[in-house]
Amino acid sequence: MKKSLIISLISFMFTAFAPNVYAEDFIDLDKNTSTYQILENLSKKYNFSFDFPDSKFKGERTITRYEIAKIILDILSSVDNRIDDESDKHILDQLANDFYLEIDAIKPKLDEIENQVDMLETNTEKQSADLKRLSDLLPFSLSGDLGLRYQMITKDIGKDIFNGTPQVRTSLSINSKDNNPIGYGVRLVSGGVNRTTLTWWKMADFFGKVPLNFDKFFVKYKPNNNFDFTLGRFSNPFGNSDMYFDDEMTQQGALQVFKCNDLAPFLKELSFTAGEVVVNMDKDFGNTFSLNGLAEAKMNFDDFFTLNVKGGYYHYIGENNIAQANKIAKEKSLEAKLSGNTNTNTLDEAGNFKSQFRIADIFAKGVFKLHENFPLSFSGNYLYNITDSKDNQAFRLSAKIGTLKEVGNFFVGYDYTNLQADATISFFTDNQLAGTDVNAHMASAGVKLFPSTILSTTFLAKNSIKKQDPLTYALRVNLIQFF
């Protein structure tokens, strides 16, 4: 049966569907034909719309009697009381009589489909409830991520835009649910212990060559809400903007946090953090230690503006063990003791750092809650190496709008960084900067595709402060699936 042969009887049946396509949108119909005129008159008369793919009527496509019956059934249940023209009512009654067998046959099938959908939804809800009950019984929580990344680093972006490297990373974390008074955490991450700022690996090497490293392994003692003590290998609490310490790095040692809440209507939290950590463990050259202190205040003004202010001091001991370990490894063509970023600090003739590293750090971040899904934030970070008289400062200015709280949320951001050669130890800085002595502009954006899936990208343009060499470009596109 052809649609064009029965159009005078069933044309208005299609008006029960989607409200986006009207008769005038049927691009494959000649406006001078009677078919088009019938559709146009019905759509205007009853303010009906038509649901056809790609705005085409496709009048010569064969339609089955069961398809017609389904359409009539929908009309009978939804538009009968809207028909006030006697001739249109007569057509509707005639259609119901002509197709009553098909309508009676399709109703049980539709009921069966609805029952199957209901059963599937019930089973899905039951499985989710079972998983939640199992999770509630466990004394710990499991989480992790699997990431895919495309990375391109070049001085000629027009030539190398498609010559990047696919990369992979993965992690698995176990954390106690209750930290009162004892808590713990363990994390396995792709990469060896000497890859200080890099957990991403070439996709071609991932399954055959990549080891898993215990990136975190700590125990936390929290007798009350005002104090906690952490021992082991833990997340770095001191890197405010990745200039001092990349956020992928962990530190090992001891950490104490003193915290006071709600000291004033606007002062929501005041805390002091002290850390004694081993930054580099090397059996041949000895260890490098860092004594760190940080004060932080969190303020909230009328729930529209929040301000976070930090001040820190970081004191390295034995920092030249880092320089010597990498110097000897390079001379002997060995794998570097610390791989990841390049050593761009100033060295003397013996291969030691010319500077000691006693670093003062000031950070501030303000957030304007313009909308629940579009907060606007500005931040600034300043580093100063007080033991050197030149090339000893760094600052980063950042702006960002948006958030990734819910599916469909997105953000865009911009960062400007000026990081002089001896402001901090180059091996530990942001892996996007890949060392110190860098002037960089970075744009970033991200979107939450699904409840546990984030797509983000960064585009970096940087060059050396001292040399003023041509720009190096870095493009990274990340797809992260959390679980």
Side-chain angles (χ1 to χ4, degrees):
M1 183 183 297
K2 302 290 185 178
K3 278 195 286 188
S4 58
L5 298 178
I6 61 168
I7 189 64
S8 62
L9 294 177
I10 68 168
S11 58
F12 72 95
M13 294 189 302
F14 298 96
T15 62
F17 298 95
N20 297 322
V21 183
Y22 290 85
E24 59 267 25
D25 295 317
F26 294 146
I27 60 177
D28 59 334
L29 280 184
D30 186 346
K31 293 186 178 182
N32 296 320
T33 62
S34 59
T35 297
Y36 181 88
Q37 296 299 324
I38 291 173
L39 292 173
E40 183 181 40
N41 291 339
L42 286 169
S43 65
K44 290 180 178 179
K45 184 175 182 180
Y46 294 107
N47 193 27
F48 286 155
S49 58
F50 302 84
D51 181 24
F52 292 104
D54 58 28
S55 298
K56 292 182 179 180
F57 184 67
K58 297 182 180 179
E60 297 303 315
R61 185 183 73 81
T62 300
I63 184 171
T64 69
R65 290 179 64 87
Y66 282 107
E67 288 178 307
I68 299 172
K70 173 62 172 63
I71 297 169
I72 296 173
L73 181 60
D74 290 336
I75 292 175
L76 291 173
S77 60
S78 62
V79 302
D80 187 35
N81 57 1
R82 296 177 58 191
I83 305 299
D84 54 12
D85 187 278
E86 290 298 326
S87 61
D88 289 342
K89 287 183 178 180
H90 176 72
I91 293 175
L92 187 63
D93 292 339
Q94 182 179 345
L95 287 171
N97 291 330
D98 289 347
F99 288 93
Y100 76 92
L101 292 177
E102 284 82 359
I103 292 175
D104 288 343
I106 204 173
K107 278 183 176 179
K109 294 181 180 180
L110 292 175
D111 292 339
E112 182 180 351
I113 293 174
E114 290 178 358
N115 290 336
Q116 291 176 352
V117 170
D118 291 340
M119 185 178 299
L120 180 61
E121 291 177 349
T122 301
N123 290 338
T124 301
E125 292 173 358
K126 183 178 182 299
Q127 291 174 358
S128 298
D130 291 341
L131 288 174
K132 185 179 185 305
R133 281 194 294 269
L134 177 60
S135 176
D136 292 340
L137 291 174
L138 295 174
F140 56 82
S141 62
L142 288 171
S143 62
D145 66 73
L146 175 64
L148 303 177
R149 179 168 84 174
Y150 173 82
Q151 175 177 270
M152 182 275 300
I153 300 176
T154 182
K155 291 186 180 295
D156 188 348
I157 192 170
K159 177 181 178 181
D160 295 328
I161 184 66
F162 297 112
N163 294 329
T165 305
Q167 297 178 318
V168 183
R169 87 163 189 201
T170 187
S171 72
L172 175 65
S173 297
I174 298 175
N175 291 282
S176 59
K177 293 180 178 178
D178 189 359
N179 292 327
N180 295 317
I182 303 294
Y184 56 86
V186 178
R187 184 173 77 163
L188 281 170
V189 67
S190 52
V193 294
N194 289 330
R195 292 174 64 87
T196 55
T197 61
L198 296 176
T199 57
W200 294 89
W201 288 74
K202 291 181 180 179
M203 190 175 293
D205 296 340
F206 186 75
F207 294 102
K209 301 180 181 179
V210 178
L212 290 176
N213 172 40
F214 275 104
D215 180 61
K216 294 179 185 175
F217 197 103
F218 65 87
V219 177
K220 177 179 289 189
Y221 174 61
K222 187 177 181 181
N224 54 59
N225 291 329
N226 302 109
F227 171 76
D228 63 71
F229 174 79
T230 305
L231 185 67
R233 190 178 181 94
F234 43 80
S235 296
N236 165 46
F238 301 109
N240 297 318
S241 68
D242 295 356
M243 289 195 303
Y244 168 65
F245 244 58
D246 186 272
D247 62 2
E248 291 187 5
M249 292 188 63
T250 54
Q251 296 183 343
Q252 50 199 329
L255 189 71
Q256 306 90 50
V257 180
F258 302 88
K259 186 183 301 182
C260 297
N261 298 312
D262 298 320
L263 296 177
F266 67 91
L267 184 56
K268 297 303 179 181
E269 184 180 299
L270 182 64
S271 63
F272 301 91
T273 304
E276 305 84 34
V277 297
V278 183
V279 180
N280 174 45
M281 299 181 68
D282 189 272
K283 63 180 180 179
D284 298 319
F285 297 94
N287 296 326
T288 299
F289 301 91
S290 180
L291 304 178
N292 303 331
L294 177 70
E296 179 178 6
K298 295 181 180 180
M299 292 164 276
N300 190 340
F301 300 91
D302 297 327
D303 291 327
F304 173 73
F305 176 69
T306 61
L307 180 64
N308 187 13
V309 179
K310 300 181 184 180
Y313 175 72
Y314 317 122
H315 187 109
Y316 281 94
I317 301 171
E319 62 274 8
N320 278 317
N321 292 332
I322 298 174
Q324 286 297 315
N326 286 278
K327 174 178 177 291
I328 299 300
K330 183 177 181 181
E331 290 175 352
K332 294 183 177 181
S333 299
L334 301 175
E335 182 181 357
K337 296 289 183 177
L338 290 171
S339 61
N341 293 335
T342 306
N343 181 23
T344 48
N345 297 128
T346 306
L347 302 178
D348 61 19
E349 294 180 357
N352 293 318
F353 293 131
K354 276 192 173 182
S355 172
Q356 294 178 308
F357 292 93
R358 314 287 188 263
I359 301 165
D361 180 14
I362 299 173
F363 174 83
K365 180 179 181 179
V367 180
F368 296 89
K369 298 180 181 179
L370 305 179
H371 184 274
E372 182 179 358
N373 295 328
F374 288 97
L376 175 63
S377 65
F378 299 94
S379 64
N381 192 194
Y382 176 73
L383 296 181
Y384 181 73
N385 182 359
I386 64 177
T387 61
D388 208 338
S389 59
K390 63 178 182 179
D391 299 328
N392 63 339
Q393 300 180 65
F395 66 90
R396 172 175 285 186
L397 302 175
S398 304
K400 176 184 172 182
I401 186 168
T403 184
L404 298 181
K405 287 183 178 180
E406 300 175 358
V407 175
N409 289 171
F410 65 91
F411 77 88
V412 292
Y414 168 78
D415 299 89
Y416 172 70
T417 303
N418 185 285
L419 180 57
Q420 295 180 352
D422 296 318
T424 187
I425 294 180
S426 57
F427 284 111
F428 304 141
T429 60
D430 183 354
N431 76 80
Q432 299 240 48
L433 300 177
T436 57
D437 184 35
V438 60
N439 187 73
H441 300 265
M442 185 175 72
S444 59
V447 61
K448 194 163 191 176
L449 301 177
F450 303 103
S452 300
T453 308
I454 292 175
L455 176 66
S456 63
T457 183
T458 60
F459 180 75
L460 181 77
K462 67 175 184 176
N463 62 352
S464 168
I465 298 174
K466 291 182 178 180
K467 299 177 182 178
Q468 290 293 308
D469 54 350
L471 288 171
T472 297
Y473 302 96
L475 173 66
R476 293 175 174 91
V477 181
N478 309 308
L479 180 64
I480 309 294
Q481 175 65 48
F482 298 93
F483 56 86

